Amino acid sequence: MDKFTVLDGLVAPLDRPNVDTDAIIPKQFLKSIKRSGFGPNLFDEWRYLDRGEPGMDNAARPRNPKFVLNQPRYSGASILLARENFGCGSSREHAPWALTDFGFRSIIAPSFADIFFNNSYKNGLLPVVLPAAVVDRMFVEAEGTPGFRITIDLPKQLVVTPDGKSYPFEIDAFRKHCMINGLDEIGLTLQHADEIRAYESRRRETQPWLFA
Amino acid sequence: MQPQTLYDKLWSSHVVRADADGTALLYIDRHLVHEVTSPQAFEGLKLAGRTPWRVDSIVATADHNTPTRDWDQGIRDPISRLQVETLDANIRTYGAKAYFPFLDGRQGIVHVIGPEQGATLPGMTVVCGDSHTSTHGAFAALAFGIGTSEVEHVMATQTLNMKKSKAMLVRVDGALRPGVTAKDVVLAIIGRIGTAGGTGHAIEFAGSVIRGLSMEGRMTLCNMAIEAGARAGMVAADDTTIEYVRGRNFAPKGDLWDRAVAYWRTLHSDEGAKFDTVVTLRGEEIAPQVTWGTSPEMVGSVEGRVPNPARVEDPVKRGSLERALQYMGLQPDMQITDIRIDKVFIGSCTNSRIEDLRAAASVVKGRHVAASVKLAMVVPGSGLVKRQAEAEGLDRVFREAGFDWREPGCSMCLAMNDDRLEPGERCASTSNRNFEGRQGAGGRTHLVSPAMAAAAAIAGRFVDVRQML
Ligand code: SF4
């Protein structure tokens, strides 16, 4: 996993609540057995005017000029600004894979769905929860100011806007540690292998039917 | 000792170790695996040179991509076939307690076959790379969906790093009126608390209505906990739970059965246990439900009307309502019963079990699908459900009424196989998600109970099934 420390990036505003994982990456692309290559089909049904299928030449497909990510001013954005309950729906990790493959490193929203929130951390995609009023203001600025960039400082847990204002955000200490150092969580957990084994043998005694 | 919630009990009995900040390493008893969210996890395992911690915790099947007809021709879509064959190969390499591959008579939707096989037991932690794993909470289990990185983590370590959620109690008291089912109850709950209402919570469903539900009804209920934003939903264990589990393939036998039952009887919230959030509903007040929008919270009674955005003050809410009605092709204030449908789908891990099929068949019997309906299909949840239905003659009832009777799988719940809506088509569906494009790009989904879907098939539009009973 890539390390995440301080990100200075262009902001793309996606002004819809309850963006679900079917919208982020439609199911026909879930047939892939790989982890990469989902970026061109991120938000497929909103981005393109035709029906997307795996194996198509996406560069040749007709684009919906109205969709925010098709507007040249947002090209190269690495921060997605979103509304509440972002990432609701399925557990598909293809959603964060598609977002990171497209180039996003962070999403700012007033709230996230739980599974998506978890999946994001495992892929170096930082979900940042800010109060709805702050997000509202950022929407106005991102839409009103071409080239609107912000800085996300993970070690300091701050989002800094061009006017110099900074907004603190919360993150769990363990997740922060893993993100900043780009750590493999499995390796960390296996440091506790003895404890897992001890627990397992106790469980085998008290609930033997689970091991029958 | 302080009174504990069911969630407290399930949580604390699985903690391997905990950090000062509350992050815990949670032991996982049952790992359900399917073809869509596992290939990258197996690959990660292989790349790191790791092996599964406990192969006999794994129960696997192929369900999302499998076709629902012409099984003799195999899986024609080469990309789908590769995904299913990749699961075959991974299970061959690593092993599993049980594997029900494509074409096996016991294959089916992962959330249908887990309970059916007795692979889901009370008191377990159950995970799967699928958000509807919440289904298994019906067994007083702690069951929740995980992403592919977590699938790999569970395979490699038999644990997950987690923080405890908040506890929510949803109590449905009183009794249901005839024609109202578990599906209507859970849709009414989501209508009340919203799709983010349960975010950060584990929900326990309780009250006399829940106690009165069969295990299949409780599974329907817990299945959609995730649609209320909660990763896990659960119901306390009681006689209904224990009788359902008794005698199933992987259920404990003999002495072990008695020991297990004694433990399972403790799996309920103690008197006076504290919940962070409590929501109560009255069973009598719940009518058959129909969703009219593009999120499960956009739902109402079949007797009602489509809402009017002009009457919504919050601009963000108004905008999403307008967008939903536009996508759904509906007029503000129109009667739900004036909505005409093109297709009917009876299936999915929400409503494809034998009781669901019986309920739909009882409405359909002796009637015929409306001429305006292009396709009405029944997709049983598993091979065993299919066989049981056929033994009861339900397949004949459906076929004679003009329904397609298909092979088991996820099918048009998410349309990864050939079963899907065409742009603009409108479907009465017993599944769990009415998101844009869920059942096919441009498709319009209305979520209903099996009986309501059957009634809509007959009438060609939504009707109150209570008029047809
Ligand atoms: S039936 Fe639908 S919701 Fe259930 S597991 Fe299959 S695709 Fe997911």
Side-chain angles (χ1 to χ4, degrees):
Chain A
M1 194 173 84
D2 290 346
K3 294 181 185 182
F4 191 118
T5 49
V6 179
L7 169 69
D8 170 68
L10 185 69
V11 179
L14 180 63
D15 197 358
R16 300 184 181 216
N18 299 313
V19 170
D20 59 75
T21 52
D22 282 79
I24 298 172
I25 181 84
K27 73 290 219 112
Q28 61 271 36
F29 304 108
L30 272 48
K31 296 177 184 182
S32 167
I33 56 172
K34 296 192 303 230
R35 244 174 222 272
S36 56
F38 296 100
N41 301 109
L42 175 70
F43 298 119
D44 197 272
E45 283 175 27
W46 293 343
R47 241 165 103 198
Y48 301 96
L49 295 168
D50 61 347
R51 177 146 94 189
E53 290 295 338
M56 282 174 128
D57 175 8
N58 293 299
R61 294 174 58 198
R63 284 166 193 250
N64 174 3
K66 287 203 219 119
F67 184 59
V68 54
L69 297 185
N70 286 334
Q71 295 169 17
R73 58 181 283 198
Y74 299 120
S75 130
S78 58
I79 298 169
L80 186 68
L81 186 63
R83 294 288 185 186
E84 74 253 18
N85 200 27
F86 187 88
C88 60
S90 84
S91 67
R92 62 188 70 163
E93 202 155 315
H94 312 70
W97 294 339
L99 286 157
T100 52
D101 198 51
F102 184 86
F104 288 114
R105 295 296 317 275
S106 177
I107 305 176
I108 298 178
S111 60
F112 291 88
D114 288 340
I115 305 180
F116 176 84
F117 192 68
N118 264 307
N119 286 344
S120 296
Y121 287 111
K122 322 252 163 176
N123 293 282
L125 179 66
L126 179 67
V128 174
V129 178
L130 290 180
V134 174
V135 171
D136 256 345
R137 211 168 323 132
M138 283 187 186
F139 264 99
V140 174
E141 290 179 61
E143 283 161 2
T145 328
F148 181 72
R149 303 175 73 88
I150 57 177
T151 302
I152 300 175
D153 186 330
L154 177 56
K156 292 203 187 109
Q157 296 180 219
L158 286 178
V159 175
V160 185
T161 48
D163 55 9
K165 291 212 179 79
S166 62
Y167 305 93
F169 62 89
E170 294 290 319
I171 179 173
D172 189 284
F174 177 69
R175 284 176 165 154
K176 180 174 171 178
H177 176 70
C178 289
M179 286 282 281
I180 290 180
N181 299 297
L183 293 177
D184 164 21
E185 202 186 305
I186 294 178
L188 290 178
T189 298
L190 285 174
Q191 294 175 358
H192 304 296
D194 288 345
E195 285 168 88
I196 301 172
R197 257 180 236 112
Y199 172 91
E200 203 166 45
S201 52
R202 282 199 305 278
R203 195 157 181 75
R204 218 178 266 277
E205 300 266 298
T206 54
Q207 301 192 22
W209 60 88
L210 295 177
F211 297 82
Chain B
M1 202 166 80
Q2 275 235 336
Q4 288 188 303
T5 62
L6 170 59
Y7 177 56
D8 290 333
K9 294 180 186 178
L10 292 171
W11 176 271
S12 59
S13 63
H14 287 89
V15 173
V16 172
R17 65 186 304 280
D19 284 338
D21 74 344
T23 306
L25 201 58
L26 211 63
Y27 187 80
I28 303 303
D29 295 310
R30 175 65 69 227
H31 189 183
L32 303 168
V33 170
H34 67 85
E35 79 276 20
V36 179
T37 54
S38 65
Q40 297 87 351
F42 279 113
E43 190 193 50
L45 211 60
K46 183 155 77 193
L47 287 176
R50 295 177 174 130
T51 48
W53 181 282
R54 195 179 141 211
V55 164
D56 72 357
S57 69
I58 296 175
V59 171
T61 193
D63 54 2
H64 284 64
N65 274 285
T66 54
T68 57
R69 57 179 166 194
D70 306 328
W71 270 17
D72 49 339
Q73 294 173 35
I75 304 174
R76 274 176 290 180
D77 175 355
I79 319 178
S80 290
R81 189 171 61 237
L82 175 64
Q83 199 169 56
V84 171
E85 287 171 356
T86 303
L87 178 61
D88 291 341
N90 282 326
I91 300 294
R92 259 199 314 277
T93 306
Y94 293 102
K97 180 180 183 74
Y99 181 41
F100 306 108
F102 177 52
L103 300 180
D104 188 288
R106 298 156 299 173
Q107 172 269 356
I109 305 172
V110 66
H111 309 307
V112 174
I113 64 173
E116 183 175 78
Q117 293 290 337
T120 302
L121 296 174
M124 277 182 163
T125 40
V126 180
V127 298
C128 175
D130 190 284
S131 58
H132 293 101
T133 310
S134 59
T135 311
H136 308 265
F139 290 81
L142 179 56
F144 50 89
I146 56 178
T148 297
S149 296
E150 290 172 313
V151 169
E152 184 181 338
H153 194 280
V154 173
M155 284 180 183
T157 71
Q158 212 58 40
T159 62
L160 282 172
N161 280 298
M162 296 192 84
K163 265 198 169 154
K164 201 172 169 187
S165 306
K166 287 188 270 190
M168 177 186 277
L169 177 67
V170 175
R171 222 180 49 225
V172 191
D173 296 317
L176 296 180
R177 291 185 296 182
V180 179
T181 67
K183 181 66 163 288
D184 303 302
V185 173
V186 72
L187 284 172
I189 292 168
I190 296 165
R192 166 82 77 84
I193 69 175
T195 46
T199 304
H201 289 81
I203 300 181
E204 178 176 349
F205 298 99
S208 53
V209 164
I210 310 304
R211 295 259 70 84
L213 292 176
S214 67
M215 280 318 289
E216 298 196 1
R218 294 177 190 180
M219 284 188 249
T220 301
L221 188 74
C222 291
N223 176 271
M224 289 192 73
I226 183 68
E227 259 43 74
R231 268 179 107 170
M234 62 194 80
V235 176
D238 60 10
D239 290 344
T240 306
T241 323
I242 291 162
E243 285 319 307
Y244 179 97
V245 174
R246 189 191 294 276
R248 296 200 176 255
N249 195 13
F250 295 119
K253 310 268 155 29
D255 266 8
L256 283 182
W257 170 259
D258 297 334
R259 281 179 70 181
V261 168
Y263 171 63
W264 295 344
R265 296 250 178 233
T266 68
L267 297 173
H268 53 79
S269 289
D270 297 331
E271 191 68 34
K274 289 265 178 301
F275 290 86
D276 299 283
T277 314
V278 178
V279 178
T280 55
L281 285 82
R282 292 293 310 178
E284 301 77 18
E285 290 168 10
I286 301 172
Q289 303 283 303
V290 181
T291 65
W292 43 260
T294 51
S295 153
E297 71 185 16
M298 295 176 167
V299 65
S301 154
V302 65
E303 299 160 316
R305 292 170 183 274
V306 173
N308 191 333
R311 286 195 291 271
V312 176
E313 280 192 18
D314 178 343
V316 175
K317 285 214 178 82
R318 186 170 57 236
S320 76
L321 189 56
E322 280 165 353
R323 197 172 317 117
L325 295 192
Q326 200 204 348
Y327 180 86
M328 293 298 288
L330 298 175
Q331 298 308 314
D333 291 323
M334 75 185 283
Q335 285 280 353
I336 296 290
T337 47
D338 286 338
I339 303 175
R340 308 195 63 82
I341 53 156
D342 304 303
K343 288 185 174 168
V344 177
F345 172 64
I346 297 178
S348 89
C349 56
T350 317
N351 283 126
S352 63
R353 299 178 183 84
I354 191 67
E355 292 172 15
D356 299 316
L357 304 191
R358 286 180 192 140
S362 74
V363 173
V364 160
K365 197 173 173 94
R367 295 182 166 120
H368 203 277
V369 172
S372 58
V373 171
K374 290 187 234 171
L375 172 70
M377 64 196 294
V378 183
V379 182
S382 72
L384 295 185
V385 170
K386 182 171 189 248
R387 235 181 293 159
Q388 175 68 27
E390 287 171 353
E392 296 177 18
L394 304 184
D395 59 322
R396 276 216 337 274
V397 172
F398 285 117
R399 280 209 182 95
E400 282 167 11
F403 278 84
D404 270 25
W405 178 251
R406 298 289 185 89
E407 304 293 345
C410 293
S411 178
M412 210 163 72
C413 171
L414 96 165
M416 267 184 91
N417 67 0
D418 293 336
D419 310 331
R420 65 179 174 205
L421 299 180
E422 296 303 319
E425 279 184 343
R426 188 181 297 289
C427 181
S429 178
T430 66
S431 55
N432 43 43
R433 286 193 174 134
N434 52 350
F435 299 153
E436 287 184 21
R438 170 75 177 183
Q439 295 191 287
R444 295 161 170 166
T445 301
H446 297 267
L447 305 176
V448 287
S449 74
M452 282 287 288
I458 304 301
R461 60 185 175 85
F462 290 107
V463 287
D464 190 335
V465 65
R466 293 174 294 186
Q467 294 161 7
M468 295 177 70
L469 294 177

